[in-house]
């Protein structure tokens, strides 16, 4: 164990040895916020994207038309607000806004909430684009066979949407993993705050943040490979033979 470091490499090793608990706790908290916030954000984004895709038909009941228009307007405003403002500012507004409203919320809960809302806003547009990318003929064919619009969406459209937007979902998670660093404004002891604290003890900020950069890189690299494997799995086999070609060969 290094006790008297003299160069940058030794300082990095020294910080990793003496503040390993702090870095591990910060890494775990970063992963916790990113995973929970991203998963819930995906669900919110899917809901918002589906609502935005619902078509208002002339034959619909007036109450249904009014309800859909209100929902569409709410989700449109929500998406625009969270796509057009920085996440750091959103964190401050959400956390202190909730406290000012008289409700008690922990910084970690506020950080997860902001991550959910931010992810949902971006995923809503991604899901809407993914739905539009599915051939319209498939929807018309399902409806012609007697399937309801809801069943058509969940059994025909959404499985294809999931496959089409999986790369973007992976990118969103990796972005959230890195963007948790802005939540240090709420005094959350995630990875960035751990690096800042460890660096301030000996005024070795460069070495501390370099070590943190390596941790972020390893996390993002590992998860990017996991998402690529998932994409390959959803693509299916590429060595299949069409039935027509097989019959011709016989």
């Amino acid at each position: 164990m290094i006790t008297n470091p003299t160069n940058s490499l030794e300082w990095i090793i020294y910080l990793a040895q003496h503040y390993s608990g702090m870095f591990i706790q910060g890494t775990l908290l970063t992963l916790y916020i990113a995973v929970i916030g991203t998963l819930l954000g995906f669900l919110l984004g899917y809901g918002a994207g589906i609502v935005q895709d619902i078509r208002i038909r002339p034959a619909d009941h007036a109450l249904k038309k009014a309800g859909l228009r209100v929902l569409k307007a709410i989700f449109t405003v929500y998406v625009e607000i969270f796509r057009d403002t920085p996440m750091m500012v959103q964190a401050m507004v959400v956390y202190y806004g909730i406290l000012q409203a008289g409700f008690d919320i922990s910084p970690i809960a506020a950080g997860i909430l902001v991550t959910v809302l931010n992810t949902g806003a971006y995923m809503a547009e991604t899901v809407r684009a993914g739905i539009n990318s599915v051939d319209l003929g498939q929807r018309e064919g399902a409806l012609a066979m007697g399937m309801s619009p809801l069943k058509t969406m969940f059994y025909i459209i959404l499985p294809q949407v999931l496959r089409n937007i999986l790369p973007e979902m992976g990118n969103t998670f990796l972005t959230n993993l890195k963007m948790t660093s802005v939540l240090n404004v709420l005094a959350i002891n995630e990875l960035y705050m751990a690096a800042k604290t460890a660096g301030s003890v000996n005024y070795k900020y460069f070495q501390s943040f370099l070590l943190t950069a390596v941790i972020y890189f390893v996390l993002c690299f590992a998860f990017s490979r996991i998402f690529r494997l998932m994409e390959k799995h959803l693509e299916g086999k590429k060595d299949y033979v069409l039935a027509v070609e097989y019959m011709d060969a016989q």
Side-chain angles (χ1 to χ4, degrees):
M1 179 177 290
I2 298 176
T3 55
N4 296 305
T6 57
N7 55 57
S8 292
L9 180 58
E10 289 183 355
W11 269 111
I12 292 174
I13 297 173
Y14 176 87
L15 292 171
Q17 290 174 341
H18 286 76
Y19 300 98
S20 58
M22 187 182 297
F23 281 107
I24 291 173
Q25 183 179 0
T27 301
L28 293 176
L29 187 54
T30 291
L31 285 171
Y32 175 74
I33 294 174
V35 171
I36 300 299
T38 303
L39 289 176
L40 295 179
F42 284 161
L43 295 178
L44 177 59
Y46 265 89
I50 292 171
V51 168
Q52 289 178 325
D53 181 70
I54 295 176
R55 292 170 174 79
I56 300 176
R57 297 176 174 82
D60 290 338
H61 192 275
L63 191 60
K64 180 181 178 181
K65 290 180 181 178
L68 285 175
R69 287 194 179 98
V70 170
L71 274 178
K72 284 176 176 287
I74 291 173
F75 279 119
T76 298
V77 172
Y78 152 67
V79 168
E80 290 300 326
I81 288 176
F82 279 88
R83 280 169 58 92
D84 299 337
T85 54
M87 188 173 175
M88 182 181 291
V89 176
Q90 295 168 11
M92 301 292 281
V93 170
V94 169
Y95 178 60
Y96 291 108
I98 292 176
L99 291 179
Q100 189 169 329
F103 298 97
D104 188 25
I105 186 171
S106 68
I108 294 177
I112 293 175
L113 178 58
V114 170
T115 306
V116 170
L117 294 173
N118 195 272
T119 302
Y122 282 94
M123 285 306 302
E125 290 298 292
T126 302
V127 170
R128 184 182 61 81
I131 291 174
N132 292 334
S133 70
V134 178
D135 184 33
L136 185 61
Q138 297 190 37
R139 180 180 301 193
E140 293 175 347
L143 294 173
M145 293 175 62
M147 294 184 69
S148 66
L150 188 62
K151 284 187 176 181
T152 300
M153 177 60 70
F154 280 95
Y155 291 107
I156 304 298
I157 307 299
L158 286 185
Q160 298 182 70
V161 171
L162 177 62
R163 184 184 61 186
N164 293 341
I165 70 173
L166 183 61
E168 183 59 30
M169 291 172 64
N171 289 335
T172 301
F173 173 73
L174 295 179
T175 299
N176 286 342
L177 195 60
K178 292 175 287 186
M179 287 300 291
T180 54
S181 60
V182 306
L183 299 177
N184 74 92
V185 297
L186 303 181
I188 297 176
N189 292 320
E190 38 70 54
L191 184 54
Y192 175 89
M193 181 63 81
K196 187 176 180 181
T197 303
S200 65
V201 176
N202 299 287
Y203 297 99
K204 296 297 179 181
Y205 291 103
F206 170 74
Q207 291 82 355
S208 180
F209 282 111
L210 185 59
L211 176 60
T212 305
V214 172
I215 297 174
Y216 274 119
F217 175 80
V218 171
L219 290 175
C220 292
F221 183 83
F223 279 107
S224 67
R225 291 299 178 272
I226 292 173
F227 278 108
R228 286 190 182 181
L229 289 175
M230 292 173 63
E231 290 174 36
K232 278 189 174 183
H233 178 73
L234 289 177
E235 285 177 0
K237 296 181 179 180
K238 294 184 178 180
D239 58 347
Y240 60 85
V241 178
L242 293 177
V244 176
E245 296 177 357
Y246 177 78
M247 294 300 294
D248 291 341
Q250 299 298 315

